[in-house]
Amino acid sequence: MTPLDVGIIAVAVPALGITVWATAMFFLGRIVRAHRKLGRITYLAETQPS
């Protein structure tokens, strides 16, 4: 394995991980917002924001 291969892997693996994480957080956020809009999820605060 050449140093170039190692460099490509060293950049590609974290980039792929960040991409997967960002995509998962994006869809999770959409789901949570949709459920909050429908009233299925309520805020855990004692007093509701006005």
Side-chain angles (χ1 to χ4, degrees):
M1 198 179 293
T2 65
L4 181 61
D5 293 335
V6 174
I8 290 170
I9 291 169
V11 170
V13 172
L16 182 64
I18 289 167
T19 303
V20 171
W21 180 84
T23 305
M25 290 296 114
F26 172 75
F27 284 110
L28 184 64
R30 283 179 55 117
I31 292 166
V32 168
R33 279 196 302 275
H35 282 258
R36 282 202 174 127
K37 193 173 181 182
L38 292 172
R40 291 187 187 171
I41 298 175
T42 56
Y43 291 93
L44 298 174
E46 294 271 333
T47 56
Q48 292 291 325
S50 54

